[in-house]
């Protein structure tokens, strides 16, 4: 478990699947996701199990996010995980928050905590993030958290390439 100024971060459990589906299955939280919302509970269970397995294999991953004020109410999921960037596997920073949590600085707080944990606790050499070019709010979060634009990735056929952000201990 990790605490930030306002957030409580913990490893996910299968008991979190309803909240996972509530957040990842919502249209609003997938506005910039070219693959759309999680379509059903079976997919949510499979996706959440993959996140739990990632924790078991690597001892880090995507956290369940709640506030210190309401630790039993999940407002999102986010953190670090391995992700393929084309043919290259990288450590990826990702997050998804319920709509009621938007605009309160929680994504930046989570991003900074994840970066600090990755670079200074796990001693990772670099962390990346992918964002769709139209997602101005997430671009702002990545910049505020110290990440810099390092390139693009043609990851969605027929659409504009995603922006790739990066941070290393040397540019933090």
């Amino acid at each position: 478990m990790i605490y930030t100024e306002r957030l409580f971060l913990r490893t996910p459990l299968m008991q979190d699947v309803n909240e996972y589906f509530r957040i990842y299955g919502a249209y609003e939280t997938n506005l910039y996701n070219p693959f759309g919302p999680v379509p059903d509970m079976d997919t949510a269970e499979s996706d959440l199990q993959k996140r739990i397995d990632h924790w078991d294999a690597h001892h880090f991953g995507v956290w369940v996010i709640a506030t210190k004020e309401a630790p039993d109410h999940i407002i999102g999921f986010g953190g670090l995980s391995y992700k393929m960037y084309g043919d290259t596997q990288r450590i990826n920073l990702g997050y998804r928050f319920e709509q009621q949590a938007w605009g309160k600085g929680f994504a930046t707080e989570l991003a900074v905590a994840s970066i600090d944990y990755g670079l200074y606790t796990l001693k990772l050499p670099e962390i990346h993030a992918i964002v769709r070019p139209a997602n101005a709010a997430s671009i702002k979060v990545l910049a505020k958290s110290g990440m810099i634009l390092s390139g693009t990735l043609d990851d969605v056929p027929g659409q504009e390439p995603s922006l790739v952000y990066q941070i290393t201990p040397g540019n933090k």
Side-chain angles (χ1 to χ4, degrees), residues 113-124:
S114 297
I115 290 167
D116 287 349
Y117 184 77
L119 295 180
Y120 304 114
T121 300
L122 299 175
K123 308 287 188 210
L124 299 171

Side-chain angles (χ1 to χ4, degrees), residues 119-152:
L119 295 180
Y120 304 114
T121 300
L122 299 175
K123 308 287 188 210
L124 299 171
E126 59 188 13
I127 297 169
H128 292 84
I130 297 174
V131 63
R132 300 299 301 153
N135 191 344
S138 280
I139 290 169
K140 190 182 222 184
V141 166
L142 298 177
K144 281 179 157 182
S145 66
M147 298 189 87
I148 56 171
L149 181 63
S150 62
T152 60

Side-chain angles (χ1 to χ4, degrees), residues 4 10-11 35 39 50-51 60 73 87 96 102 113 123 156 158 172:
T4 67
R10 66 164 173 82
T11 56
F35 307 105
K50 288 176 190 171
R51 294 186 186 277
F60 70 90
H73 176 74
D87 295 334
R96 187 77 44 99
W102 294 358
K123 308 287 188 210
V156 183
K172 170 96 169 82

Side-chain angles (χ1 to χ4, degrees), residues 11-24:
T11 56
L13 305 168
M14 277 312 293
Q15 298 95 287
D16 301 320
V17 70
N18 289 331
E19 294 302 295
Y20 185 90
F21 183 61
R22 179 179 64 82
I23 293 170
Y24 280 89

Side-chain angles (χ1 to χ4, degrees), residues 6-8 16 18-31 62-78 94-108 110 137-138 141:
R6 299 176 297 158
L7 300 177
F8 166 59
D16 301 320
N18 289 331
E19 294 302 295
Y20 185 90
F21 183 61
R22 179 179 64 82
I23 293 170
Y24 280 89
Y27 170 79
E28 297 80 15
T29 67
N30 286 277
L31 293 175
V62 170
W63 287 297
V64 168
I65 306 165
T67 62
K68 287 181 180 178
E69 292 177 348
D72 293 329
H73 176 74
I74 296 172
I75 64 168
F77 294 82
Y95 51 84
R96 187 77 44 99
F97 285 88
E98 68 181 5
Q99 191 172 12
Q100 295 82 358
W102 294 358
K104 299 178 180 176
F106 292 140
T108 301
L110 175 272
S138 280
V141 166

Side-chain angles (χ1 to χ4, degrees), residues 19-55:
E19 294 302 295
Y20 185 90
F21 183 61
R22 179 179 64 82
I23 293 170
Y24 280 89
Y27 170 79
E28 297 80 15
T29 67
N30 286 277
L31 293 175
Y32 300 103
N33 179 358
F35 307 105
V38 170
D40 53 47
M41 187 59 80
D42 288 340
T43 304
E45 287 174 0
S46 174
D47 288 357
L48 184 57
Q49 186 62 56
K50 288 176 190 171
R51 294 186 186 277
I52 292 168
D53 292 345
H54 188 283
W55 269 100

